[in-house]
Amino acid sequence: KAGVTQTPRYLIKTRGQQVTLSCSPISGHRSVSWYQQTPGQGLQFLFEYFSETQRNKGNFPGRFSGRQFSNSRSEMNVSTLELGDSALYLCASSLAAPTDTEAFFGQGTRLTVV
Amino acid sequence: GDSVTQMEGPVTLSEEAFLTINCTYTATGYPSLFWYVQYPGEGLQLLLKATKADDKGSNKGFEATYRKETTSFHLEKGSVQVSDSAVYFCALSDQGSYIPTFGRGTSLIVHP
């Protein structure tokens, strides 16, 4: 079966712009989580959606937002980009809660802010 | 709160050497423990898991035993290969939490 698909794979944006990243989970998976990965901070949890509702949120500013659609596809948006937002953004999907069942990760979107 | 501490890398080994990557955790409840692996340019993949004390998770020659008394979940492999070069993440999920807690990751480099 198809894995988790994240688009685009690479992005270059300018400070102050906004960006939208997309994640298509594995068919049948209803939970989608987003993570930010940087060399300095490691893997940090952004938020998790389940059946179109944000169920959990990490400790990130309000510039980071997300949503989930009825087909479980999810998007995350970052507004007013800062240089420090440069990172690999990973999406993971699972059947229910990420901690109850195995989480499957996409390859990530590499965002570079210049 | 919950936390996971991994040994800092990179860990550099020759092919066929024995591997240990240390992982200790702090949790309020009785967590499940995981090891994930991230190959270059890829996302994370679940390598193995253990859900209760004394459980041993194993996969692809890797093993880790859930040690509640020492709050540890060390990853081991008897003979590493060049293809094992990757970043390894220890993680836990506490009871009732939907958010796994990840360690910082340990880079493994295996030379031929």
Side-chain angles (χ1 to χ4, degrees), chain B:
Chain B
D2 296 344
S3 67
V4 175
T5 302
Q6 291 181 236
M7 60 189 292
E8 287 197 23
V11 173
T12 305
L13 296 172
S14 297
E15 208 165 22
E16 299 184 3
F18 184 86
L19 168 71
T20 299
I21 299 178
N22 291 336
C23 170
T24 57
Y25 67 89
T26 303
T28 53
Y30 299 93
S32 295
L33 302 174
F34 308 85
W35 276 102
Y36 282 83
V37 59
Q38 184 178 32
Y39 297 104
E42 302 289 324
L44 278 68
Q45 303 173 25
L46 180 65
L47 181 60
L48 54 83
K49 67 180 181 182
T51 58
K52 61 183 187 297
D54 300 324
D55 267 2
K56 177 185 284 188
S58 61
N59 186 24
K60 300 181 181 179
F62 290 90
E63 292 182 339
T65 301
Y66 189 142
R67 301 286 187 199
K68 191 169 184 295
E69 63 276 13
T70 54
T71 61
S72 65
F73 193 55
H74 304 323
L75 182 68
E76 296 182 335
K77 186 175 185 183
S79 176
V80 293
Q81 305 300 312
V82 172
S83 57
D84 293 327
S85 298
V87 180
Y88 292 82
F89 292 87
C90 185
L92 70 82
S93 67
D94 216 338
Q95 287 179 323
S97 170
Y98 296 115
I99 308 170
T101 300
F102 285 87
R104 295 289 297 270
T106 301
S107 174
L108 170 65
I109 301 169
V110 181
H111 293 293

Side-chain angles (χ1 to χ4, degrees), chain A residues 67-87:
Chain A
R67 59 178 175 168
Q68 186 180 34
F69 302 95
S70 58
N71 61 359
S72 292
R73 190 177 70 85
S74 178
E75 290 181 346
M76 68 163 280
N77 185 78
V78 188
S79 62
T80 319
L81 284 166
E82 301 176 0
L83 294 178
D85 297 333
S86 295

Side-chain angles (χ1 to χ4, degrees), chain A residues 37-58:
Chain A
Q37 186 178 22
T38 59
Q41 298 297 320
L43 203 62
Q44 294 188 287
F45 172 77
L46 280 156
F47 28 66
E48 185 238 354
Y49 287 86
F50 182 81
S51 293
E52 302 180 65
T53 300
Q54 185 182 87
R55 196 159 59 170
N56 291 281
K57 190 175 189 304

